[in-house]
Amino acid sequence: MSLTSPAQVQVTSPAAAARRWTARSWPELNNPAAWIVALILLIMPLIANGFFLIEIFGTTMILGIIALSLMFLAGYGGMVSLMQLTIAGFAGYMYAIFGVSGHPNISMGWPWWLATPMALALATIFGTLGGALAVRTAGIYTIMITLAIAAAFYFFTNQNYVIFNGHTGINNIATPHFLNVDWRSDIPFYYVVLAVAALCYLAVEYLSRAPFGLALQGVRDNPRRMAALGFNVNAHRVAAYAFASFVASLAGILQVWNYRQISPGSVGVEGCIDILIIAIVGGITRPVGPFIGALIFVILRTFALDFLVKIGLDGNRFRLLIGLGFLAVVFWSSDGMIGLWERWQRRNRSGAMQAKGTPGHG
Amino acid sequence: MDSVAQRLSVVGAGTALELRGVTRLFGALAALTDVTITVRPGERRAVLGSNGAGKTTLFNCITGDFLPSSGTIRFFGEDITHFPPYERIRRGLRRTYQISALFPGLTVQDNVYLACRGVSRGRFSPLRPGQNDALMQSAETLVRAVHLASVKEQRVAQLAHGQQRQLEIALALAGAPRFILFDEPAAGLSPTERRELIEILTSLPAHIGYIIIEHDMDVALRVVESVTMMHNGRIFKEGPPQEIESDPEVQELYLGGGHE
């Protein structure tokens, strides 16, 4: 059956062809809202001071990248991993151990440009191995295994003094200086974080429509059928963990540059659950969700304390606010803030259509 | 002296599918007992039998969803008994499911594209398919062939039942299938859709053989050249459709036995 004629020649102007190419391989570029957000983020140092730049937006993007790695696994792969913060922390620890810090008996003193790739590689391997364990399970067991890995790493760092310096952790970690720029000073660091976050975001977005990402979504929807189409399902899952681990370890490096120290507190189980909350509150169907969730989380964490004190409550109860917010979002939208936003847009659109339609019918 | 035809008769001979003494136990229950089937390349065969006769278990053993407890399975001469499902699929085996097994979160086009990608290289490719991607085009051709072009951008969760069954078949036709297992492809189809299904089955290229499980005799006996009757996990009878249809034992057991 010849349903297509290969001899058929499409006559289109190069510009139209280019437009179609963009529309097909990068449909996201046609969204004006994305361009506006990108512009605002780019000129942020003109608007915001150092505190907002790093404590709010920098932290948001770093947490957002870690939650993005979870969104990739959970949203596309159907695998809820609670060890993404652990992988980031592992990368941070490796950077501290291979690089320069205030503990010369622990740190090996490598320059940042050697310590960074080393830490990224080791953390990616660490996360991939954890993933290889986790893919043998499904659903709640995946959560349990990854939580167990996270808890084990937390206790190990707490008790090991030879490499991880126990409860104190590693302090005064050196950050990159080159081209006469201190890359940890506020504005350069903001742009470094922004660039990494943008790259991770675009990579996840791009992958979602590439064969690897599509196959991962197939594995999420129906692993058995994927095997019956010729896919090695577990290999795909492990590869997804490898990619997500790399993304999380990038955030781990940024985190350790940001705080210049790392300790068991940075890889606590509580923090792992925060990452889950960030991803769920933001929404795990699209890569922008984790960043929205992270922004809400960071704003609550930073300002809820003052707010609570002002209305006469204990400031340490800011987690209560986060918890209530989490409950509210999950209750009203199974798909986080993205879901709420999409529903609101749909309602507006159908409302507008009705408004337009009524006079014609009347 | 042998004639050329005689000497060359071994080329391409052999079997598409050969099961020898395949038994599958679930605990103490034997879902399949000592099943031996030989199917030639290009042969079209129906497997009939009442519910619980072991038909779907047979399919699951052939595709590797379950490993047989004993016995061997050969696919075009190769022993695939212990192969994982995806290795069997990459060798040209395909199957459809009784209850549609699709990817509801993806579009029709992406479902078929995945099927095409699964049996070719670049399954892990991180690059989006370009404008002239060959697999994307063969996916589009396949979508048109099963009359789903008008809904190709829709998510599968939104499709009607009949359309989902069409897609189920499209997924099994991707790539270069050599042998297909159809598990009740007509289940829940309207008479029109049944006619379309029969048309698809009868117009498959001659080198593609298949086994079809089908309760609807009108469909089953019209699209096959041989029939295997199963009962309680055993092969009960084999033969051409007319012979099976008129066999008194078969009639008592299956056709006239008050079954639907």
Side-chain angles (χ1 to χ4, degrees):
Chain A
M1 66 196 154
S2 148
L3 293 162
T4 47
S5 136
Q8 199 177 356
V9 180
Q10 287 183 328
V11 187
T12 40
S13 71
R19 212 168 31 244
R20 184 173 314 142
W21 182 84
T22 312
R24 186 152 163 185
S25 47
W26 277 105
E28 303 83 2
L29 294 184
N30 301 334
N31 184 353
W35 287 104
I36 293 170
V37 171
L39 186 69
I40 292 175
L41 286 173
L42 271 177
I43 60 164
M44 189 63 81
L46 297 176
I47 311 166
N49 61 19
F51 169 77
F52 269 89
L53 213 51
I54 301 304
E55 293 301 318
I56 303 295
F57 292 105
T59 313
T60 292
M61 286 189 279
I62 292 171
L63 287 177
I65 296 170
I66 303 178
L68 177 73
S69 76
L70 170 59
M71 174 271 145
F72 180 77
L73 287 174
Y76 295 147
M79 301 175 283
V80 178
S81 157
L82 286 183
M83 64 172 180
Q84 297 313 109
L85 181 74
T86 307
I87 295 165
F90 189 92
Y93 264 114
M94 290 303 120
Y95 179 81
I97 289 165
F98 284 96
V100 178
S101 79
H103 304 265
N105 53 331
I106 290 175
S107 292
M108 296 165 73
W110 293 14
W112 71 272
W113 49 269
L114 270 180
T116 304
M118 188 67 184
L120 288 174
L122 288 176
T124 304
I125 292 171
F126 171 74
T128 310
L129 290 177
L133 269 180
V135 297
R136 301 179 175 280
T137 61
I140 194 156
Y141 299 103
T142 307
I143 298 178
M144 291 308 296
I145 281 204
T146 51
L147 183 63
I149 291 172
F153 186 69
Y154 168 70
F155 287 112
F156 184 74
T157 54
N158 231 328
Q159 289 161 6
N160 180 294
Y161 283 84
V162 181
I163 305 173
F164 293 94
N165 203 27
H167 187 69
T168 327
I170 301 172
N171 300 306
N172 297 321
I173 298 166
T175 54
H177 284 254
F178 64 98
L179 300 174
N180 285 331
V181 177
D182 172 8
W183 291 90
R184 177 54 193 83
S185 61
D186 288 345
I187 293 179
F189 186 61
Y190 172 80
Y191 279 114
V192 169
V193 173
L194 179 61
V196 174
L199 278 178
C200 291
Y201 169 81
L202 291 175
V204 170
E205 180 73 49
Y206 181 83
L207 265 187
S208 72
R209 303 289 311 145
F212 175 59
L214 277 178
L216 192 60
Q217 293 167 70
V219 167
R220 170 198 65 197
D221 281 0
N222 199 331
R224 190 172 164 207
R225 185 57 183 259
M226 282 304 276
L229 291 181
F231 288 91
N232 183 343
V233 168
N234 273 353
H236 247 90
R237 287 180 169 146
V238 173
Y241 268 104
F243 174 74
S245 302
F246 181 71
V247 170
S249 43
L250 281 172
I253 299 284
L254 294 176
Q255 187 88 297
V256 86
W257 286 353
N258 188 14
Y259 295 130
R260 296 193 193 89
Q261 68 91 32
I262 187 156
S263 63
S266 327
V267 294
V269 170
E270 204 174 86
C272 292
I273 292 172
D274 285 343
I275 296 297
L276 178 69
I277 291 178
I278 288 170
I280 300 289
V281 165
I284 57 165
T285 52
R286 291 216 241 130
V288 73
F291 292 101
I292 295 171
L295 183 63
I296 296 172
F297 181 84
V298 169
I299 286 176
L300 273 178
R301 190 175 70 178
T302 314
F303 298 110
L305 199 140
D306 293 337
F307 172 75
L308 287 172
V309 170
K310 207 167 272 177
I311 61 168
L313 288 170
D314 183 352
N316 289 324
R317 303 239 182 270
F318 85 91
R319 281 186 179 278
L320 183 71
L321 271 190
I322 293 179
L324 286 176
F326 178 70
L327 275 182
V329 169
V330 172
F331 186 76
W332 272 295
S333 162
S334 57
D335 190 18
M337 297 305 287
I338 297 183
L340 288 178
W341 165 254
E342 278 174 350
R343 222 184 308 163
W344 182 75
Q345 264 191 328
R346 252 199 315 271
R347 194 173 308 156
N348 271 13
R349 209 176 301 141
S350 66
M353 247 149 51
Q354 267 171 6
K356 225 183 272 173
T358 327
H361 284 291
Chain B
M1 236 10 230
D2 291 349
S3 73
V4 175
Q6 268 173 334
R7 272 181 286 135
L8 287 183
S9 66
V10 293
V11 177
T15 56
L17 191 63
E18 190 181 358
L19 280 74
R20 277 204 183 284
V22 171
T23 298
R24 169 70 203 195
L25 305 170
F26 291 107
L29 177 80
L32 290 178
T33 311
D34 196 22
V35 170
T36 296
I37 295 181
T38 309
V39 188
R40 287 177 290 107
E43 183 178 338
R44 281 124 198 239
R45 176 185 297 236
V47 172
L48 304 180
S50 51
N51 289 331
K55 306 183 299 286
T56 297
T57 308
L58 177 73
F59 274 20
N60 285 334
C61 281
I62 297 172
T63 53
D65 287 33
F66 305 150
L67 292 181
S69 308
S70 64
T72 57
I73 302 170
R74 288 178 171 277
F75 187 61
F76 286 92
E78 190 175 14
D79 187 346
I80 59 163
T81 315
H82 298 287
F83 279 21
Y86 59 87
E87 286 291 353
R88 305 174 191 220
I89 301 305
R90 291 177 194 175
R91 281 166 173 71
L93 182 67
R94 300 284 188 279
R95 84 169 285 183
T96 71
Y97 288 83
Q98 185 180 354
I99 296 162
S100 296
L102 306 167
F103 310 109
L106 299 178
T107 63
V108 171
Q109 173 80 19
D110 287 344
N111 268 259
V112 179
Y113 177 70
L114 276 183
C116 295
R117 185 51 88 171
V119 287
S120 59
R121 297 168 67 176
R123 281 172 284 258
F124 287 89
S125 169
L127 299 178
R128 289 184 180 183
Q131 207 177 356
N132 296 316
D133 185 79
L135 286 180
M136 198 51 108
Q137 295 194 345
S138 56
E140 251 166 66
T141 311
L142 205 46
V143 166
R144 272 197 298 269
V146 294
H147 307 298
L148 291 175
S150 57
V151 292
K152 70 174 183 171
E153 295 299 334
Q154 269 187 37
R155 297 207 317 163
V156 165
Q158 300 165 329
L159 291 191
H161 176 80
Q163 292 173 319
Q164 294 199 1
R165 298 305 292 172
Q166 304 270 58
L167 182 57
E168 181 72 38
I169 288 173
L171 294 191
L173 298 180
R178 292 199 283 177
F179 201 86
I180 309 178
L181 307 172
F182 291 107
D183 195 348
E184 297 200 34
L189 292 190
S190 71
T192 325
E193 289 166 338
R194 263 159 213 254
R195 272 196 298 281
E196 249 172 47
L197 174 69
I198 292 173
E199 203 187 317
I200 289 176
L201 291 178
T202 48
S203 52
L204 282 178
H207 71 276
I208 301 179
Y210 57 73
I211 298 181
I212 181 170
I213 297 176
E214 187 50 67
H215 280 299
D216 184 338
M217 293 306 210
D218 287 342
V219 175
L221 299 183
R222 209 178 300 176
V223 294
V224 299
E225 59 212 72
S226 57
V227 177
T228 297
M229 281 290 306
M230 288 184 72
H231 187 60
N232 287 340
R234 289 174 186 276
I235 303 281
F236 175 67
K237 209 137 243 174
E238 280 183 304
Q242 307 80 14
E243 198 181 299
I244 294 289
E245 226 177 346
S246 55
D247 188 283
E249 265 186 308
V250 171
Q251 284 194 344
E252 187 184 339
L253 196 85
Y254 186 69
L255 301 175
H259 276 282
E260 73 269 69

